[in-house]
Amino acid sequence: MQIEILGCESFGARSLACAVKTGERKILIDPGVALARLRYGLLPHPVEIAAALRIRKRILAAFEGTTDVVISHYHGDHMPMKAEDPYQLPVEALPSLEGISFWCKGPEKISGLSARRRKELSHFLGFSLPASEGTDFDGISFSAPVPHGTKDKGFGTVMMTRVSEGDDVFVHSSDIQLLDRDTVLEIVAWKPTVVFASGPPLYLSHHVPEASKEAFENALLLARNVDTLILDHHLLRSFEGYRWLKELAGKVENTVLCAAEFMGEKPELLEAKRKILYEKLSVPRGWHESYARGETGLEEGLL
């Protein structure tokens, strides 16, 4: 089994995209990328936009040879979108999808916005998207809907993916954020060797006060039952999250690391650094509007 992580916050933009190769299959999971519209009251810095473009190129290149595409839920950092945001992956940029099977989160327990995006993607593809929760096909299994973060807080649900080949079991647990014990126990029951998941959103601790302590206990449980635990996404939208990750890694014998480290790269927490980026590299007034219209390139934003 070969696992390639294509995008994540430790690569500089919001994503949880990866590709998994097993025998004759190549499974592309959550092919999406996005940037926070505002952070510290600031629009995305051009350095972040450049990182998002690099991830977009990786994702588009990964469609070559892909046999299966999985969409865990319908947030813009997890799926190709109808062109409406210059920082995301537009569906219009997708290559030919002929012969690719789609496995998707169903229409149950999602927001009105997610339902609209699901319909838009279906319309673009030209066929109805399946509701894949709870199904199992040729080494790929999908969970029933599990909470997007804390259960019963109104954040909707996501679909987890299990891919197996011989003794190797990879689990993509999407935006669970380690905030629901039952979900973590479900992952453990799948007996994974590698888990790729979103850690808790510590940068939103004022909205999710239970994020750090409860998630840390769940992370310890998971880390002790998997050879390699890759935590990223919401967790690495702050420097506090990276410290949290290293504290966790120091308490277990198994491997715990972020996506960039798993891929042998240096972490670049660009969203967390947005204020610093603006201080070091000024951005001309009106640059974002000009960039969105296609009138300005990235080089003009790095003055």
Side-chain angles (χ1 to χ4, degrees), residues 130-281:
S132 302
E133 294 104 322
T135 62
D136 188 330
F137 178 78
D138 193 21
I140 310 177
S141 306
F142 303 100
S143 71
V146 296
H148 183 287
T150 305
K151 189 175 182 180
D152 299 327
K153 282 288 186 77
F155 300 131
T157 58
V158 302
M159 180 181 75
M160 301 190 296
T161 302
R162 180 185 190 269
V163 181
S164 62
E165 182 182 44
D167 294 331
D168 296 326
V169 177
F170 171 75
V171 172
H172 180 281
S173 52
S174 195
D175 285 7
I176 63 166
Q177 301 170 45
L178 303 174
L179 291 174
D180 180 66
R181 176 57 67 99
D182 289 340
T183 299
V184 173
L185 290 173
E186 184 174 341
I187 297 171
V188 171
W190 268 349
K191 301 185 184 305
T193 50
V194 180
V195 172
F196 181 30
S198 167
L202 300 187
Y203 76 110
L204 296 176
S205 58
H206 54 297
H207 295 305
V208 191
E210 69 273 28
S212 184
K213 183 176 184 297
E214 182 177 345
F216 199 84
E217 294 173 355
N218 288 332
L220 278 173
L221 171 63
L222 186 55
R224 288 167 177 159
N225 285 278
V226 60
D227 294 342
T228 300
L229 176 59
I230 310 163
L231 293 179
D232 210 301
H233 205 38
H234 296 87
L235 180 64
L236 295 192
R237 293 175 188 172
S238 69
F239 298 120
E240 179 189 0
Y242 191 72
R243 292 190 291 269
W244 188 97
L245 178 69
K246 292 307 168 184
E247 180 182 353
L248 174 67
K251 291 184 177 294
V252 296
E253 294 183 0
N254 295 336
T255 300
V256 177
L257 71 182
C258 71
E261 291 166 338
F262 178 79
M263 293 300 298
E265 299 182 20
K266 179 182 177 181
E268 289 286 352
L269 312 187
L270 297 183
E271 181 176 329
K273 290 173 62 176
R274 185 174 294 182
K275 188 184 300 183
I276 299 171
L277 290 172
Y278 268 88
E279 292 171 354
K280 291 186 174 182
L281 297 167

Side-chain angles (χ1 to χ4, degrees), residues 36-58:
R37 293 294 295 175
L38 285 176
R39 188 72 192 274
Y40 310 116
L42 300 168
L43 292 168
H45 192 276
V47 171
E48 294 178 79
I49 297 172
L53 285 174
R54 287 193 294 271
I55 292 171
R56 181 193 298 190
K57 290 177 181 177
R58 287 179 184 172

